[in-house]
């Protein structure tokens, strides 16, 4: 999570640039056609659910968390790999470009995604240890948990922001106005991370439940956080900008209509009066 | 301005103290105990023998010991023996059950009172009192030997001193600590190794045959721990449980057969010999998962089984599994054992006993004798009633006898409404007793009932008074604490200078940072969870790392990120040093390695810590002197004096650290693992005072001198009118204090904890670039105190405040009284002095928080731009700390009041509350608030 950091500080209060942010959001909305994204969100929810459901007998998270988590990680990775390979992860530009991408480039982007996810998993595993994960034992558990959390929290960031370090910094580490992909990335990353963090409170409780064993609460928190971020991101990146765009569009039409009055139906109020 | 605020703060905090007093008075009941030991001369005159003519002394009544029914006693205490383990249908104790069914034994379900842990239960079983929670606490405050029952009247003392019994004890060594000098032969086993379920019991059983076969004992006590250990390990349904019950049953069989054979022989040889009584009992029971400590029905239901000649129970014809289920409901208070055994063995009943003799066991007496015994018992209980309520008059036996004689046989009872009810009941019983002796119109049964009526009611009322809560006092306390908390919040809110405050109404912005608010909210919530209290260290470790991670996320420079990352790594090591709490306390930690296989490394680290601290102070002084040269306004003479002061400071620091190290190594033989030869060590010892107490005293003197010299240096530095010099003086003085107190902490810490202070120092200097020899850089000005530019960025002081708490746990403390470290509370103290030992106990256990408190002060000084700003900052910080404390105390008070019937009230919440009292009075009030006065002047 700390891999992208720049040295200069740019802490501008967001309140002062509110008007500009709206304009920028509208521009982003125009820049990124949103064709595949409804499917994408549904798919993400399904992948999340699928990876949690026990597919087979004998795959028990309490009995063998490492095996279970490797299955969930594989499902998640497969989901991202398919989206990356088909180049239909959200905010893609045009169908023409999508079709024209050569096979080697597609494989390369899948590999790049895998590599970046592994690096993120390593960083997250280190973070787990710093926050108190066992050092002398349960290495596989810690690593698999980190891999799952990385897939849920960091891979969406990798896939949306690519190699744009400035964008990474703006999305994850600042309160500046963000573009829609940055909002998308920040939503996934911070929702998932915060829930993962909060889920750690269940570890020291003395309820003696099997799901309190390391690292089950953490991973559970990450999955829950990911589901929350799906809703959050859907609202923040699609519903709100679209609603805003619609609203602005209708306002614009209204303004137009008031400027060029038609006889009889000049004002909306006048229309109402007629009825 | 600062002073006025400070006085206001003090007034509010004192009000809070008053509220705390109310609460404690309502929550921890206080009882009055009668000092001294009962003797046979204390016994009341026999009411039937009183000469009502009133002239001349009455004929002395029969002493109780003349009516003793037993000579010898075997107590077999099986730890955590729940009633269904003996009486239940799944019990493996077949022999005991067959005795009960055959009427050769009498069984009861004995009800223990909370706290259901071994030591208070043994106290209850031997004194007949109800040791409450406060007893346990006060015992810690007292010296180790006086936590015993040496000065409390108890059954064993009576048996030993009144009847000259020889008492042997095998089993749990708690008894040896409780009754020093009572036992003739002992073999104590420690209850420390909970994982051992076999050897602890074999160590006891191997004594049973050899020792009982000899004829040189009168009382033998056997305390078996294995069953309790099985409960803790695997619960009452463990597969180990039935074999263990079987094992206990075999011991019962052995003992029963030995004493029966011996009794036959003894009565053959000596017609005056009386038989042996054998009691099987449990101290407490266990709940459904095998733990105990609380007040649930399962934990408090243990057993009494009385066996031996003269014990006649009701034979039960039923051979079925549930034959004894009636005994599960036959409940008697556990403390009833005391008067019963006292009467059966003819010794005076211990003075503070609240138990009532068990009627079933007094069957062997004649009616006359039995009533006399009941009179003795009732008189003793009446003594306790009078001790606790001085308004109750004594009873006039002669007057009662006269009136009883003058009363017609059925002229009605006394009117009890005007008098104290208990006293009246006692008088009624005495009158009946007298009339029974004179005429036959009163039956013995009626008299007996009257005595029991009195004793049971008295016992019940006194128990309630001793163990109940005073809810109105608790409510008053909570109210006062709540008002004080609000006042403190208001005090923090009122702006002073341009800092602190909570919410700025003008700009509508939160002044207190979001992490601080989040921390407070989660902490207050976590106080209601017993596991988060037990594992509070996890909370703080997690939050320290969270705060540091937040600082990384919001950091503005790569160097800052690097430094904070190093702090996180260092803190991860600190966290692994001591495992503490409950659930994971047994896990292997660094302390374990240092104390077992790596003692050499431990002592190397200890020495390295002292050297590093001294070298660092040397470097720091050089640097500060350079700054002083550069800064203007210091005269030549003052500069020379300042250098002298620094030199003296370093020399004293070095010597004090050296003496503290030698003290630790001499006390713990640390020179042996280091491979230092005896001769070399003798040479080293020549450099320090000869006795270990004197070494500690030298360290104390050195630390006081260090403080004085540090103060002098600060004064010299602040000379001249320049504001920068004044600020520099303060900054240097706070740093000197921070490192000057290290020898004291070296002296008062356990050796394996000493390296932690090097780690703490490293974490501290990483906060402030000017203090760093490497990775330095300019101090960023957005860092100051409580506010920072980024709303999510925790200030240094906030992180250090988390470290105050985290370091408390990192040194191995927890919220359990068991983790209180007494080993260093006597350093340099030759005679027991409550105040002094209390202070040392506080310093040795709160060493981490004390050091980090000073670190916060130093940070505040380093981050201030003027002396005035520093003073305002300190005043604000003290208020903020008091707000934090008040919120914690308030939440804990409410939680404790709401959970007063909770299972964990005595094992978790009450100790936590007491720790909070010490945090409040010792740390926040005396140390932080009054300590900061030094810096406000």
């Amino acid at each position: 999570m700390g891999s992208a950091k720049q040295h200069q500080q740019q802490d501008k209060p967001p309140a002062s640039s509110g008007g500009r942010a709206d304009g920028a959001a509208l521009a982003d909305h125009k820049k990124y056609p949103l064709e595949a994204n409804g499917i994408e969100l549904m798919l993400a929810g399904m992948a999340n659910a699928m990876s949690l459901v026990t597919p087979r007998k004998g795959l028990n998270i309490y009995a063998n968390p490492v095996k279970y988590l490797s299955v969930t990680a594989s499902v998640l990775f497969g989901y991202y790999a398919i989206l990356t390979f088909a180049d239909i992860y959200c905010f893609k530009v045009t169908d023409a470009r999508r079709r024209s991408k050569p096979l080697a480039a597609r494989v390369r982007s899948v590999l790049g995604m895998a590599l970046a996810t592994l690096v993120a998993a390593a960083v997250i595993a280190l973070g787990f240890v710093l926050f108190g994960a066992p050092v002398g034992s349960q290495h596989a558990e810690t690593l698999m948990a980190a891999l799952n959390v990385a897939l849920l929290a960091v891979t969406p960031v990798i896939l949306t922001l690519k190699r744009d370090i400035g964008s990474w910094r703006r999305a994850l580490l600042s309160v500046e106005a963000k573009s829609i992909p940055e909002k998308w990335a920040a939503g996934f990353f911070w929702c998932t991370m915060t829930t993962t963090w909060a889920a750690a409170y269940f570890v020291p409780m003395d309820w003696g439940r099997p799901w309190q064993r390391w690292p089950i609460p953490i991973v559970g928190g990450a999955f829950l956080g990911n589901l929350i971020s799906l809703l959050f991101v859907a609202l923040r990146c699609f519903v709100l900008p679209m609603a805003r765009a619609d609203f602005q569009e209708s306002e614009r039409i209204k303004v137009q209509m008031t400027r060029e009055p038609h006889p009889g139906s000049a004002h909306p109020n006048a229309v109402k009066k007629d009825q | 301005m600062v002073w006025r605020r400070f006085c206001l703060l003090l007034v509010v905090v004192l009000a809070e103290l008053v509220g705390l007093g109310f609460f404690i008075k309502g929550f921890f009941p206080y009882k009055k105990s009668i000092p001294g030991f009962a003797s046979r001369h204390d016994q009341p005159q026999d009411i039937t023998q009183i000469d009502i003519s009133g002239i001349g002394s009455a004929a002395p009544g029969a002493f109780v010991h003349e009516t003793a029914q037993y000579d010898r006693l075997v107590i077999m205490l099986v730890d955590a023996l729940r009633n269904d383990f003996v009486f239940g249908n799944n019990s493996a104790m077949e022999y005991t059950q067959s005795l009960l069914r055959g009427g050769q034994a009498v069984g009861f379900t004995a009800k223990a009172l909370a706290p259901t842990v071994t030591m208070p239960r043994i106290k209850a079983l031997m004194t007949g009192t109800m040791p409450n929670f406060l007893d346990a606490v006060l015992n810690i405050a007292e010296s180790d030997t006086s936590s015993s029952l040496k000065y409390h009247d108890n059954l064993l003392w009576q048996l030993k001193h009144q009847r000259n019994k020889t008492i042997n004890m095998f089993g749990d060594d708690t008894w040896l600590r409780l009754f020093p000098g009572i036992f003739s032969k002992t073999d104590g086993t420690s209850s420390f190794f909970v994982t051992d379920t076999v050897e602890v019991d074999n160590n006891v059983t191997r004594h049973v045959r050899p020792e009982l076969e000899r004829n040189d004992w009168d009382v033998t006590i056997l305390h078996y721990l294995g069953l309790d250990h099985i409960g803790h390990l695997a619960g009452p349904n463990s597969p180990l449980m039935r074999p263990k019950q079987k094992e206990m049953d075999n011991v019962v069989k052995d003992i029963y057969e030995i004493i029966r054979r011996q009794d036959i022989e003894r009565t053959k040889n000596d017609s005056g010999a009386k038989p042996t009584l054998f009691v099987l009992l449990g101290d407490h029971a266990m709940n459904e998962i095998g733990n105990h400590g609380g007040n649930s029905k399962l934990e408090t239901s243990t057993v009494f089984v009385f066996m031996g000649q003269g014990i006649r129970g009701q034979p039960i014809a039923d051979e079925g599994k549930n034959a004894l289920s009636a005994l599960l409901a036959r409940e008697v208070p556990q403390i009833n054992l005391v008067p019963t055994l006292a009467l059966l063995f003819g010794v005076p009943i211990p003075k503070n006993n609240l138990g009532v003799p068990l009627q079933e066991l007094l069957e062997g007496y004649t009616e006359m004798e039995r009533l006399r015994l009941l009179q003795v018992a009732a008189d003793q209980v009446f003594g306790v009633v009078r001790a606790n309520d001085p308004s109750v008059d004594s009873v006039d036996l002669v007057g009662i006898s006269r009136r009883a004689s003058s009363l017609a046989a059925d002229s009605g009872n006394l009117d009890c409404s005007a008098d104290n009810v208990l006293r009246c009941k006692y008088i009624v019983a005495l009158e009946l007793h007298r009339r029974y002796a004179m005429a036959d119109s009163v039956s013995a049964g009626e008299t007996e009932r009257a005595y029991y009526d009195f004793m049971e009611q008295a016992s019940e009322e006194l128990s309630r008074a001793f163990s109940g809560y005073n809810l109105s006092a608790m409510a008053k306390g909570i109210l006062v604490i709540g008002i004080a908390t609000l006042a403190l919040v208001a005090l923090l809110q009122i702006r002073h200078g341009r800092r602190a405050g909570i919410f700025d109404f003008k700009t509508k912005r939160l002044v207190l940072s979001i992490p601080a608010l989040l921390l407070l909210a989660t902490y207050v919530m976590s106080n209601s969870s017993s596991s988060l209290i037990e594992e509070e260290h996890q909370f703080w470790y997690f939050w320290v790392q969270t705060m540091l991670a937040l600082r990384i996320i919001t950091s503005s420079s790569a160097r800052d990120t690097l430094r904070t990352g190093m702090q996180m790594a260092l803190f991860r090591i600190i966290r692994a040093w001591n495992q503490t709490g409950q659930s994971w306390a047994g896990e292997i930690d660094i302390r374990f390695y240092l104390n077992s296989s790596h003692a050499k490394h431990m002592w190397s680290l200890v020495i390295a810590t002292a050297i590093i601290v001294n070298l660092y102070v040397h470097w720091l002084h050089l640097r500060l002197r350079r700054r002083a040269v550069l800064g203007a306004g210091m005269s030549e003479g003052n500069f020379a004096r300042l250098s002298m002061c620094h030199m003296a400071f370093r020399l004293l620091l070095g010597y004090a650290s050296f003496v503290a190290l030698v003290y630790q190594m001499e006390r713990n033989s640390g020179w042996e693992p280091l491979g230092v030869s005896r001769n070399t060590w003798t040479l080293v010892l020549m450099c320090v005072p000869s006795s270990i107490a004197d070494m500690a005293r030298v360290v104390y003197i050195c630390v006081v001198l260090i403080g004085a010299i540090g103060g002098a240096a600060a004064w010299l530095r602040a000379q001249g009118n320049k504001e920068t010099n004044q600020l520099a003086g303060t900054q240097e003085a706070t740093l000197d204090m921070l490192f000057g107190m290290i020898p004291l902490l070296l002296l008062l810490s356990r050796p394996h904890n000493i390296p932690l202070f090097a780690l703490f120092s490293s974490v501290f200097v990483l906060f402030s670039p000017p203090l760093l020899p490497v990775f330095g850089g300019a101090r960023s000005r957005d860092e100051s105190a409580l506010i920072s530019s980024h709303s999510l960025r925790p200030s240094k002081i906030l992180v250090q405040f988390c470290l105050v708490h985290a370091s408390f746990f990192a040194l191995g403390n927890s919220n359990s009284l068991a983790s209180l470290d007494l080993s260093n509370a006597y350093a340099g103290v030759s005679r027991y002095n409550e105040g002094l030992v209390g202070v040392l106990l506080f310093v040795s256990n709160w060493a981490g928080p004390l050091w980090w408190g000073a670190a916060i002060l130093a940070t505040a000084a380093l981050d201030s731009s003027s002396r005035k700003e520093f003073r305002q900052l300190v005043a604000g910080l003290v208020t903020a700390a008091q707000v934090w404390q008040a919120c914690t105390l308030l939440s804990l008070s409410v939680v404790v009041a709401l959970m007063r019937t909770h299972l964990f009230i005595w094992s978790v919440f009450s100790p936590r509350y007491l720790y909070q009292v010490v945090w409040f009075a010792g740390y926040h009030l005396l140390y932080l608030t009054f300590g900061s006065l030094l810096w406000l002047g």
Side-chain angles (χ1 to χ4, degrees), chain B residues 468-649:
Chain B
Y469 304 109
N470 184 346
L471 280 179
S472 75
M474 283 163 78
K476 263 184 235 162
I478 289 177
L479 193 70
V480 176
I481 295 173
I483 292 169
T485 309
L486 286 180
L488 283 170
V489 170
L491 209 59
L492 186 64
Q493 168 64 29
I494 298 166
R495 284 174 74 86
H496 58 297
R498 44 180 200 86
R499 289 194 191 289
I502 300 167
F503 189 81
D504 191 341
F505 285 101
K506 264 185 205 154
T507 57
K508 294 210 171 55
R509 276 185 67 183
L510 203 60
V511 182
L512 215 60
S513 70
I514 293 171
L517 283 177
L518 207 60
L519 177 73
L520 180 64
T522 40
Y523 189 64
V524 165
M525 277 196 296
S526 75
N527 277 335
S528 61
S529 151
S530 62
S531 23
L532 280 180
I533 287 178
E534 281 175 341
E535 312 289 333
E536 195 186 330
H537 56 289
Q538 307 272 14
F539 178 92
W540 287 109
Y541 295 164
F542 197 62
W543 266 101
V544 167
Q545 296 292 46
T546 302
M547 295 284 185
L548 290 174
L550 279 177
R551 278 176 73 82
I552 286 190
I553 290 168
T554 56
S555 83
S556 53
S557 74
R559 284 194 167 190
D560 192 29
T561 306
L562 181 66
R563 280 197 304 267
T564 316
M566 284 165 69
Q567 284 176 323
M568 285 182 82
L570 284 173
F571 188 76
R572 183 64 183 86
I573 301 173
I574 291 173
R575 160 187 187 133
W577 211 271
N578 281 298
Q579 281 287 354
T580 177
Q582 286 284 318
S583 310
W584 294 275
E587 287 196 1
I588 300 222
D589 46 16
I590 297 177
R591 169 194 54 188
F592 174 80
Y593 286 117
L594 293 181
N595 276 329
S596 55
S597 49
H598 295 76
K600 187 179 175 186
H601 295 114
M602 173 171 85
W603 290 105
S604 314
L605 283 175
V606 167
I607 294 170
T609 303
I611 292 173
I612 288 171
V613 168
N614 278 286
L615 285 181
Y616 181 74
V617 171
H618 189 78
W619 177 85
L620 196 66
H621 275 173
L622 288 181
R623 187 172 174 129
L624 295 179
R625 213 166 53 188
R626 206 159 56 232
R627 245 175 76 185
V629 173
L630 293 174
M634 180 167 260
S635 71
E636 200 75 8
N638 271 351
F639 185 74
R641 282 181 214 119
L642 183 67
S643 299
M644 287 280 291
C645 278
H646 279 172
M647 177 72 86
F649 183 93

Side-chain angles (χ1 to χ4, degrees), chain A residues 236-256:
Chain A
R236 195 174 176 211
C237 298
F238 300 107
V239 180
L240 287 183
M242 281 193 210
R244 200 180 288 126
D246 279 358
F247 176 73
Q248 284 172 355
E249 187 69 16
S250 66
E251 285 292 292
R252 195 179 56 77
I253 292 168
K254 265 189 236 164
V255 170
Q256 245 174 8

Side-chain angles (χ1 to χ4, degrees), chain B residues 766-783:
Chain B
L766 281 168
F767 273 114
S768 300
L771 297 179
L772 276 175
V774 283
F775 303 119
R779 166 163 58 103
S780 46
R781 272 293 297 151
D782 66 333
E783 280 286 342

Side-chain angles (χ1 to χ4, degrees), chain A residues 13 23-24 37 41 45 55 62 83 105 144 155 193 200 203 214 216 222 255 257:
Chain A
N37 295 321
L41 278 175
Y62 305 138
L83 289 183
M144 283 320 293
T155 314
M193 277 304 186
V203 178
W214 176 258
I216 300 170
V255 170
M257 285 164 97

Side-chain angles (χ1 to χ4, degrees), chain B residues 610-812:
Chain B
I611 292 173
I612 288 171
V613 168
N614 278 286
L615 285 181
Y616 181 74
V617 171
H618 189 78
W619 177 85
L620 196 66
H621 275 173
L622 288 181
R623 187 172 174 129
L624 295 179
R625 213 166 53 188
R626 206 159 56 232
R627 245 175 76 185
V629 173
L630 293 174
M634 180 167 260
S635 71
E636 200 75 8
N638 271 351
F639 185 74
R641 282 181 214 119
L642 183 67
S643 299
M644 287 280 291
C645 278
H646 279 172
M647 177 72 86
F649 183 93
R650 289 201 302 273
L651 279 175
L652 272 173
L653 184 73
Y655 187 65
S657 315
F658 173 70
V659 177
L661 276 192
V662 173
Y663 169 89
Q664 290 282 10
M665 293 176 90
E666 174 69 11
R667 199 157 162 259
N668 304 297
S669 334
W671 46 277
E672 279 169 4
L674 276 178
V676 177
S677 72
R678 179 88 238 179
N679 291 337
T680 325
W681 185 245
T682 321
L683 277 179
V684 172
L685 282 181
M686 286 167 78
C687 311
V688 295
S690 52
S691 87
I692 216 152
D694 283 338
M695 288 185 214
R697 284 180 201 140
V698 165
V699 176
Y700 296 145
I701 294 167
C702 284
V703 169
V704 169
L705 285 178
I706 285 174
I709 291 170
W715 182 79
L716 283 170
R717 186 71 176 82
Q719 285 308 297
N721 290 325
K722 289 237 168 178
E723 174 65 27
T724 49
N725 279 359
Q726 285 194 7
L727 181 67
T730 312
Q731 288 175 347
E732 283 159 28
T734 50
L735 285 172
D736 280 348
M737 179 176 84
L738 185 61
F739 292 106
M741 69 198 282
I742 287 229
L744 183 67
L745 305 181
L746 295 187
L747 180 80
L748 294 178
S749 297
R750 282 166 284 191
H752 60 256
N753 279 338
I754 289 175
L756 278 174
F757 288 102
L759 290 172
F760 287 164
S761 305
S762 316
V763 173
F764 169 72
V765 295
L766 281 168
F767 273 114
S768 300
L771 297 179
L772 276 175
V774 283
F775 303 119
R779 166 163 58 103
S780 46
R781 272 293 297 151
D782 66 333
E783 280 286 342
S784 51
L786 288 170
I787 325 163
S788 52
S789 56
H790 198 299
S791 59
L792 269 180
R793 183 170 176 78
S795 65
K796 286 174 192 173
I797 287 179
L798 184 59
V799 187
Q800 288 174 356
F801 183 74
C802 291
L803 279 163
V804 164
H805 285 268
S807 64
F808 176 72
F809 297 103
L811 289 169

Side-chain angles (χ1 to χ4, degrees), chain A residues 16-170:
Chain A
S16 64
S17 57
R20 196 187 59 78
D22 277 350
L26 194 64
D28 291 334
H29 170 58
K30 292 226 167 109
K31 207 159 81 191
Y32 297 105
L34 303 171
E35 311 143 28
N37 295 321
I39 303 165
E40 153 33 62
L41 278 175
M42 269 165 56
L43 281 177
M46 274 165 61
N48 191 323
M50 251 176 65
S51 54
L52 275 180
V53 168
T54 313
R56 251 184 274 109
K57 243 178 151 184
L59 186 64
N60 187 334
I61 190 165
Y62 305 138
N64 194 345
V66 177
K67 194 175 163 196
Y68 187 92
L69 291 180
S70 58
V71 170
T72 56
S74 317
V75 171
L76 284 173
F77 180 77
Y79 155 74
Y80 286 123
I82 291 166
L83 289 183
T84 316
F85 187 81
D87 204 14
I88 53 169
Y89 198 78
C90 70
F91 309 121
K92 281 304 139 252
V93 205
T94 56
D95 280 335
R97 241 192 80 189
R98 197 173 290 153
R99 264 183 255 109
S100 68
K101 205 172 179 183
L103 186 69
R106 287 167 191 264
V107 171
R108 235 188 352 260
S109 60
V110 171
L111 286 179
M113 184 272 290
L115 197 67
T117 306
L118 284 179
V119 171
V123 173
I124 289 174
L126 184 68
F128 282 173
V129 169
L130 287 180
F131 273 80
V135 180
S137 58
Q138 295 184 294
H139 295 135
E141 279 89 344
T142 307
L143 286 174
M144 283 320 293
L147 185 59
N148 275 276
V149 174
L151 282 164
L152 292 169
V154 187
T155 314
V157 188
I158 296 169
L159 290 178
T160 41
L161 302 184
K162 306 278 183 187
R163 295 196 194 112
D164 183 355
I165 300 293
S167 194
W168 275 70
R169 199 197 59 79
R170 195 159 51 245

